[in-house]
Amino acid sequence: MTLVLAALFGYLLGSVSFARIVAARVLPGEEITSTTYEIGGHGFESEARGFSPAAVNERAGARAGGLATIGDILKGVVAVGLTWLLVDRDAAAAAGVGAVLGHAAPLYHRFRGAFGQSPIIGATLVLSPLGFLVAFLASLVTSLVAAEVVWVTMLWPVFLIPWGLLFADEPFTWFAVGANAVYLWRMSSQLGQRLRFRRERRPDRRERLDEVRNTLRGGEPA
């Protein structure tokens, strides 16, 4: 029951959409439910369905997008940190998964949310800061070696699972598994579009590496 209540607390907190709060100030009256990005500068478009900080960034600029991102990261920090302080680490991990689910399917916004990277970052920074650093570096190396930008832009949370299994404790491992289950569910459409791009456009390794470098330099988002 304690874990259920902790997850519910995380879910209710995660359902607060800072992307919507920021957008209400900088983009009044604009409904952001779908954002279109160009993949790799090749004219292939990817549609992201979600009211996310990235969507705010695309429409209102880096400052507004950054504020929304910070707010959504703090949801994970507060949900996990407060639950750990008041209860224990097991409950904190459950609250972290709840925060990711609330971000992806918010109760207050008819379950139309974002994808989950921001609260995953926040929760991981509390549960295992070193795990976050290792997961990001592992995804970066994998993107460069495989010449696939999705590892560092979309799939970096997957590396939290082996970190949990090999080096962290059981609560963190369960958090990593649960958070990734929610995250990959919400990201499945974008990942499918990326696979379609690969089949139709068939970029060579040099083009794929250029996309990775451009993304890392802060260029056109993948």
Side-chain angles (χ1 to χ4, degrees):
M1 181 58 68
T2 300
L3 296 182
V4 171
L5 291 175
L8 179 60
F9 167 68
Y11 174 75
L12 294 175
L13 184 57
S15 291
V16 178
S17 173
F18 283 91
R20 285 180 167 87
I21 292 171
V22 173
R25 295 295 301 273
V26 300
L27 299 167
E30 185 170 343
E31 178 67 15
I32 305 174
T33 56
S34 177
T35 304
T36 300
Y37 303 97
E38 185 179 357
I39 297 179
H42 302 297
F44 190 99
E45 293 185 339
S46 171
E47 182 184 20
R49 294 184 175 274
F51 208 126
S52 67
V56 176
N57 181 85
E58 183 74 8
R59 288 169 168 81
R63 183 177 179 180
L67 285 173
T69 300
I70 291 170
D72 284 337
I73 288 174
L74 288 175
K75 292 190 303 191
V77 171
V78 173
V80 173
L82 189 58
T83 306
W84 194 355
L85 180 65
L86 296 177
V87 189
D88 57 26
R89 187 170 169 84
D90 288 337
V97 176
V100 177
L101 181 59
H103 185 78
L107 177 66
Y108 317 129
H109 303 289
R110 294 179 292 177
F111 307 106
R112 297 163 64 183
F115 305 98
Q117 284 202 36
S118 296
I120 289 176
I121 292 172
T124 304
L125 287 175
V126 177
L127 290 169
S128 180
L130 182 59
F132 169 74
L133 178 61
V134 170
F136 181 77
L137 290 177
S139 69
L140 176 59
V141 171
T142 303
S143 275
L144 292 171
V145 172
E148 289 291 351
V149 73
V150 293
W151 286 106
V152 71
T153 57
M154 297 183 185
L155 294 177
W156 69 265
V158 172
F159 290 93
L160 296 174
I161 297 176
W163 170 260
L165 290 170
L166 296 174
F167 302 107
D169 56 7
E170 186 174 346
F172 181 82
T173 301
W174 282 114
F175 160 74
V177 171
N180 269 283
V182 175
Y183 176 68
L184 293 175
W185 159 61
R186 283 295 284 121
M187 287 297 295
S188 59
S189 175
Q190 278 84 289
L191 290 171
Q193 291 176 68
R194 169 64 62 165
L195 289 173
R196 184 161 60 90
F197 163 70
R198 285 294 310 278
R199 288 196 302 267
E200 295 182 8
R201 179 64 178 77
R202 296 185 181 278
D204 59 28
R205 180 177 176 82
R206 181 186 59 80
E207 291 176 315
R208 300 198 311 271
L209 276 174
D210 285 343
E211 185 183 5
V212 175
R213 296 190 188 101
N214 186 49
T215 299
L216 294 176
R217 287 195 299 264
E220 196 70 24

